[in-house]
Amino acid sequence: MSDPRIKKLAELLVNYSAKVQPGEWVFINSHIIAEPLANEVLRAVLEAGGLPQVIMTSDDISETSLKYSNQEQLTWISPTTKMLYKKADVLIALRAFENTRYLANIDPKKQQIQAQARRELLQIYLERAASGDLKWTLTNYPCPAYAQDADMSLSEYQDFVYSATYTDQDDPVKEWKRIHDEQQKVVDWLKGKKEVTLKSPNVDLTLSVEGRTFINSDGTNNMPSGEVFTGPVEDSANGWVEYTYPAIEKGREVTGIRLEFKDGKVVNATAEKNEEFMLAMLDSDDGARYLGEFAIGTNYGIQKFTKSILYDEKIGGSFHMALGAGYPETGSKNVSSIHWDMICDIREDSEIHVDGELFYKNGKFQI
């Protein structure tokens, strides 16, 4: 018997997050493991009157593509892929893995080359999303690989996912609208503010948000969500941060990260594990050592680190910053082939001041 929560999640993605309308070209990008969810999303898109296109991938296909591609092949972008990025009305991404470390032994230089080649696509995607020309949403399908990373059984992880997305509730949309209203109070307070200062045993950092817009992330794009975020002024970050959680990117887990910023740029970066990979990513292009995002996690229903950024960056009592590309709707001007989120716990001995006023203390808003 199929899990009824899968159908509810699909309907939430299509009707609440993406708000699919009749006649819209809907690109459903799914891992083959997530086929049960992809099938329900397809059904929901058809019922909404959308025009769906489904593309499935797998770990093996992605690994083979990187392992055996030469320089020309790594930099080649299919014309059909370009058309999708430029013309599709809606993107629904369903992520899953058979093995989350399947790229762990791929040459990071190859990954860097491929990412650089796809920077134009990333920028098209970001700009269309910011203008409203492209609607998008993504979620993780609760599969065994994610459950193993989270140190849960599959059934436990399924319960975790459906609880975090509120698809175990009678009316998930009602819950997400409630979260929107709560976060909007924070966004409204931050409007027009200029300087953010973070202090804790793991961070001593100042950055400017002058002229930038904070976004209420309420499940419209990421599902689940629960954060408020912006793009810091590119040359403003000064200080240091030691991230308390591993940062996972392209199949590699980087731990013990310490970054030092001067005038916005990472001038010193160290890690206890996979430092060489981290440095390769930071040297991807001119924008990779600058911040594209600063965010505070507000989802207090997510307290366990699961090694999945979609959930972990939302942990209530944490903040995260992304190196690389920023979201244009925030006012960010940073352009890069990477967007790498890194998370820091601030639930103890921690304060955030905004324009000199106490804004956040030990994991709680003070406004």
Side-chain angles (χ1 to χ4, degrees):
M1 180 181 295
S2 63
D3 190 328
R5 296 173 298 184
I6 296 177
K7 180 178 180 180
K8 192 170 286 188
L9 176 56
E11 292 175 344
L12 184 67
L13 292 171
V14 172
N15 299 317
Y16 169 74
S17 299
K19 298 177 177 62
V20 173
Q21 300 299 309
E24 289 184 328
W25 178 9
V26 183
F27 173 31
I28 303 168
N29 186 9
S30 175
H31 193 288
I32 194 169
I33 291 291
E35 188 273 338
L37 179 57
N39 190 54
E40 289 295 342
V41 167
L42 174 61
R43 177 194 57 77
V45 169
L46 290 169
E47 289 181 347
L51 305 175
Q53 178 177 356
V54 182
I55 294 180
M56 309 288 280
T57 189
S58 72
D59 293 3
D60 288 343
I61 289 172
S62 298
E63 181 182 6
T64 298
S65 177
L66 276 168
K67 184 180 289 186
Y68 296 101
S69 289
N70 57 32
Q71 176 85 13
E72 179 185 3
Q73 292 162 334
L74 285 169
T75 58
W76 181 74
I77 305 297
S78 163
T80 57
T81 301
K82 288 183 180 180
M83 181 180 293
L84 278 169
Y85 273 78
K86 291 179 177 180
K87 299 296 184 182
D89 299 302
V90 182
L91 167 62
I92 299 176
L94 311 177
R95 304 193 303 192
F97 294 100
E98 296 169 280
N99 173 7
T100 58
R101 301 296 182 267
Y102 74 104
L103 296 179
N105 295 312
I106 295 293
D107 182 356
K109 290 294 183 183
K110 282 195 164 187
Q111 294 172 303
Q112 183 187 69
I113 291 168
Q114 187 181 67
Q116 288 172 336
R118 296 178 67 86
R119 188 170 72 171
E120 178 188 358
L121 295 182
L122 176 60
Q123 201 59 31
I124 291 170
Y125 160 74
L126 291 172
E127 289 175 0
R128 291 190 66 214
S131 71
D133 190 42
L134 172 68
K135 296 183 291 183
W136 66 273
T137 188
L138 66 86
T139 198
N140 288 356
Y141 179 72
C143 59
Y146 282 142
Q148 288 170 340
D149 276 358
D151 293 324
M152 299 182 195
S153 70
L154 180 57
S155 62
E156 289 172 336
Y157 189 72
Q158 288 169 334
D159 289 343
F160 166 78
V161 167
Y162 296 126
S163 174
T165 57
Y166 297 107
T167 47
D168 61 349
Q169 303 293 313
D170 291 336
D171 190 351
V173 172
K174 179 181 178 180
E175 295 299 322
W176 285 109
K177 287 182 177 179
R178 174 183 60 80
I179 288 171
H180 169 88
D181 292 344
E182 291 175 358
Q183 293 182 166
Q184 192 59 41
K185 296 174 185 177
V186 175
V187 170
D188 290 343
W189 188 90
L190 287 165
K191 187 175 181 179
K193 298 298 192 294
K194 296 179 179 179
E195 186 178 79
V196 176
T197 302
L198 303 98
K199 288 187 181 294
S200 85
N202 300 302
V203 61
D204 188 348
L205 187 71
T206 299
L207 52 87
S208 173
V209 294
E210 186 172 3
R212 300 300 164 93
T213 300
F214 277 85
I215 303 298
N216 182 342
S217 183
D218 58 1
T220 302
N221 299 130
N222 289 346
M223 179 56 68
S225 197
E227 65 173 296
V228 293
F229 69 92
T230 193
V233 176
E234 286 70 25
D235 62 356
S236 69
N238 283 285
W240 58 270
V241 57
E242 295 176 349
Y243 289 102
T244 57
Y245 293 111
I248 300 170
E249 181 77 1
K250 301 185 187 304
R252 284 176 170 81
E253 183 176 321
V254 186
T255 60
I257 295 175
R258 178 185 171 92
L259 303 180
E260 297 177 14
F261 293 85
K262 183 177 181 180
D263 297 332
K265 185 178 182 179
V266 175
V267 294
N268 190 37
T270 59
E272 295 172 0
K273 178 182 176 183
N274 279 326
E275 180 178 285
E276 181 181 359
F277 168 77
M278 178 188 69
L279 294 175
M281 293 299 102
L282 266 58
D283 291 335
S284 295
D285 49 51
D286 292 341
R289 285 178 177 260
Y290 290 84
L291 292 173
E293 180 185 5
F294 165 72
I296 298 173
T298 64
N299 193 327
Y300 293 92
I302 302 175
Q303 291 290 293
K304 179 179 173 59
F305 184 72
T306 65
K307 298 185 179 181
S308 172
I309 191 62
L310 179 64
Y311 292 90
D312 299 335
E313 68 175 4
K314 314 302 190 310
I315 292 173
S318 74
F319 78 90
H320 61 274
M321 298 190 296
L323 292 170
Y327 296 102
E329 60 265 42
T330 68
S332 175
K333 299 176 177 62
N334 203 38
V335 176
S336 176
S337 61
I338 72 168
H339 178 92
W340 190 358
D341 292 294
M342 300 178 182
I343 312 162
C344 189
D345 189 288
I346 46 170
R347 283 175 284 195
E348 295 183 4
D349 300 325
S350 303
E351 292 183 347
I352 300 177
H353 286 80
V354 178
D355 289 351
E357 184 174 351
L358 183 62
F359 168 67
Y360 194 87
K361 183 179 177 67
N362 297 336
K364 298 291 183 181
F365 292 106
Q366 301 298 304
I367 57 174

